[in-house]
Amino acid sequence: MGEKVAAGAVDPADRQHYRQKVKECLEGLGRLLKEKRFDRPKNLMGLEIELNLAGPDGLPRMMNGEVLERIASRDFQTELAMFNLEVNIAPHRLGGRVLDQLAEELRTGLGYAHRKANEVDAGIVMIGILPTLKPDDLVSANLSDVDRYTLLNEQMVAARGEDFQLDIDGVERLTTTSSSIVPEAACTSVQLHLQVTPNRFAAVWNAAQAVAGVQIAMGANSPFLFGREVWRESRPPLFQQSTDVRPPELQAQGVRPRTWFGERWIDSAYDLFEENLKYFPPLLPILDDEQPLEVIDKGGVPTLAEMVLHNGTVYRWNRPVYDIADGVPHLRVENRVLPAGPTVTDVVANTAFYYGLVRALAEESRPVWSRLSFDAAARNFDTACRHGIDAHLEWPRRGRFGGTEQVAATTLVRDELLPLAAAGLDAWGIEPADRDFYLGVIEGRCERRMNGAAWQAATYHRALESGLEREAALAATTRRYAELMHSGEPVHTWPVGLPTPAVPLG
């Protein structure tokens, strides 16, 4: 969302004016699209990773302000809660050795941040949900000291009108309530940006939606929440429920949640911004002085500030982004599906798989979204969140007979999607050695049926079997995860379980 906004009372009249301004922004977007005012293809990608701060004991540390002061880099920013940070990697052109360049930049940046955090008895942990978080850690007092988070929390609590209900029924069932949106801060993710031209936007977004379940199956890394083992990727249900401003009556009426997979394949980026206006009331009605239609009339480029801010409060797993660079507007698809971690190598492997697969699927003559219903894509996403790398997904059957079939995610990826991803990376001009190395990481997960979530769950159960109590087992699993994360070897190669204590010589 990014904007600096001032906390304070929102005048009810502002909402009406704001809604009108969003309509004007949407009209402005339509004119820019019609007049073909958007940037030409540049094959640009961007990457953001949300991070956790934890101590040597594996427990969260509420000190992002102090750590950011020591890091002193604009690449690192606050996130929603005081145990969160975010690192932003500058845009890169897809091609050549970009995957290894990303890996090197991430290793350097995260290594530096980790050393700085160590100075105050904390460390960086790149994981979907920190297993040691407790409900008492996720309260309003632990919101980062940033006005926009305070105002967003105030407005969502007011819209909800009662406590937020969390109910996730997985391996174990978790039920609890929260008086704020802060539990959403438990979700730390990787956001992958891809700049696209307007005429390619729908194909890329549809492709990204189609493979969201596959991304989760391969990359799941969030099996624990508040001491319970829930879904293999628990971020999506947690995110939806912790930002759900609909009371039960509105849920029963079918009002859409603000954290949303969507409900249809699209024909244009305009469709998504139009849905935002149609379905979601404003949460942050902050008005800008710009008159977007007047700016366009004079040949200028409007910021469409109200539309952009409103878009930032609708939490799609693949979000449209309107932005301006060097005075020229452009569109991006922001993929928000993946959890953070486990290692830099794993993150870059997930990145390579996504960009390669989306490129190949978006250019197919019979695109997957013409052969797979949107409801099936949404079910795949839900199934993959529940079962991770063991999920079975619905996918179009190969051959001339058509239809769909249920197939193990590992089989689908190994036999059909990895070759497509390789072809897509070739189309981007990625160095073949890097293509093979990073897609080989995804293949290794399929062969060993091991990703971050599977490793965490298996190691936790070994810890329980060794006699540790639940809390101690989660803390020990977290400490071991952090140790292996910083060693850098991809997660499918990690030994399961805790290291055996050394036997004293005697």
Side-chain angles (χ1 to χ4, degrees), residues 187-228:
C187 307
T188 44
S189 63
V190 172
Q191 285 125 41
L192 301 173
H193 291 254
L194 180 60
Q195 185 177 324
V196 291
T197 56
N199 66 325
R200 298 298 297 156
F201 185 95
V204 171
W205 188 87
N206 288 343
Q209 287 286 102
V211 300
V214 175
Q215 284 182 277
I216 289 284
M218 292 296 104
N221 197 28
S222 316
F224 298 107
L225 178 61
F226 298 161
R228 292 286 179 272

Side-chain angles (χ1 to χ4, degrees), residues 438-457:
Y438 289 106
L439 293 185
V441 171
I442 305 297
E443 187 175 17
R445 289 186 208 156
C446 292
E447 288 173 356
R448 299 194 186 188
R449 304 180 76 84
M450 182 62 66
N451 59 12
W455 183 90
Q456 287 185 60

